[in-house]
Amino acid sequence: MSGTPLERWVDEVAAITQPDRIVWCDGSDEEAQRLYEQGLAEKTFYRLNQKAYPGCHLHRSHPSDVARTEHLTFICSRRQEDAGPTNNWMSPEEARAKTLPLFRGAMRGRTMYVLPYIMGPVGSPFSKVGVEVTDSVYVAASMRIMTRLGKVALEQLGSSEDFCPGLHSLGDLSPERRFILHFPEERTIWSVGSGYGGNALLGKKCFSLRIASWMGRQEGWLAEHMLILGLEDPSGQVWYMAAAFPSACGKTNLAMLVSPLADQGYRVWTVGDDIAWLRVGPDGRLWAVNPEAGFFGVAPGTSDRTNPNMMAAIRRSTIFTNVAITQDGLPWWEGINGTGPDSLIDWRGNRWSPGSDKAAHPNSRFTVPARNCPSMSPHWEDPQGVPISAIIFGGRRARVAPLVYQSFDWQHGVFVGAGMASETTAAAIHAVGVTRRDPMAMLPFCGYNMGDYFAHWLRVGARLSQPPAIFHVNWFRTGESGQFLWPGFGENVRVLKWIVERVQGKGEATETPIGFVPTPGSLDLEGLSLSPETMEELLRVDRDAWEQELAEQKQFFEQFGERLPQEIWQEHAALAARLGAS
Ligand code: O2Y
Ligand code: MN
């Protein structure tokens, strides 16, 4: 056998998929131009107005292929119990038998792109190499934005076999023949039948979360569904935080928040908006990198009001997927600014008129280089990462969770994360008004048994001599008539400010059964017109709601049986006792 392990693997998959051409992508700008030209010729891409949006393109996915498909996503570990009760599992043998026929000859008449990429900053001890082969020019162009792709990755890999191979083919795009398969023991991904987002850009959810979480457990680090931001205080010190929220809770907006307290000296710096890789540093602190190089942000609702930094970022070198376009070739979506212009082409490419269905798909997206974003931290690509002072968990809860509370310690914080849940909205793909339990926002992304995952969090905590403080936030608490009580968006910086004060041992709090809740006067509310009654409601611990929450958590935890660490049960019992006793 000749060639490097990578060359041998590429030969192997080419023998199966039988492409007409093989293109090894080098990551150069010239190559990007070639990819877009190819995409324009085959109508995968449409050029947007180059004067207003230079270097920007529109892509329309197949109408049946518009979101991640959790029910078609499998962990193919050798033993079912290692995937755990919250993942779909298929044996590696069955997975291969089912999908090999779908890959056989799938690239006949097509080009196979070989995409070597790095997740993590170049030269960082955190970083990992992946290689995706794909027959989608859209995937090739998107992976150039989302990862460090090409020559840099080949240089880092050399002749090593230490890479995550990812085989992707569009197949016939039929949902009946769509599979997103993860083989964690082989650190391999196979994806067929989808050309969209998390199903097809294999560096993102597949590698950086599902496979990486398995690797992190073996190697002693954490791969998490978390944004990373830095809050600069008036002294110029920057406090870094990592925050996990389920999908559709505003992670990207928080990561890029524009601070209304800027005149006091509080400013937010963006490190990442979706994924964090976290390691215990030699100083006993937790250090984090964002493994991605771009954002795959949701378009509807993004505007100058909700996320001005993102609106600035997407003005160049961006791929828009499934948005509408105006007559002038500008991208458009619901919530961008008022009502739609009279004349639009909708996400399917049809003429749209006011009053008809949504013009942009609700899960329409932009793929944008992180370096375009004005709020990027000067440290976002630091090889050693940034030191994390606070971890924030959160969800969309109408009643049960107050605006913010702090856990008593690391073990209690892990329990807070393990008990996370979110109530679904019309914007989410799940049924409306249902509480979906989503520990650490990792339910769809943890590549192994979540009982073992909680144990891994506890083990990592035991190695931290200076652990981050752990908090829970809820921007979505509602009043009697269902209205949101907290203004959210940029005003969330007031909660971040309190969090940083707590980290410094300064912010005031009341001890409650669930943790430390801000005293009424300890949040900076200057300039907001929130009544004392509203604040009281926002910070209230609703005993009845917590009784019910305890019962729902118990039911959820029971499914892990022996794999659930005793510490989680201890914390559950302690919370029950505190609620009963006080
Ligand atoms: O539907 C998709 O493929 C995208 S989902 C997504 C995209 C960017 C960041 N996070 C998510 C998510 O579902 O958590
Ligand atoms: Mn996400």
Side-chain angles (χ1 to χ4, degrees), residues 15 57 146-147 177 195 235 289 436 441 469:
H57 295 83
M146 295 303 295
T147 71
R177 285 174 289 284
S235 76
V289 297
R436 188 185 198 224

Side-chain angles (χ1 to χ4, degrees), residues 205 225 247 251 274 445:
K205 304 295 190 182
H225 190 201
S247 311
K251 282 214 329 274
D274 195 40
F445 306 120

Side-chain angles (χ1 to χ4, degrees), residues 66-68 196-199 204-205 225 246-247 251 273-274 296-297 363 365 445:
V66 291
R68 288 188 293 107
Y196 192 81
N199 290 341
K204 193 171 179 59
K205 304 295 190 182
H225 190 201
S247 311
K251 282 214 329 274
D273 81 326
D274 195 40
F296 186 56
N363 196 31
R365 300 252 163 194
F445 306 120

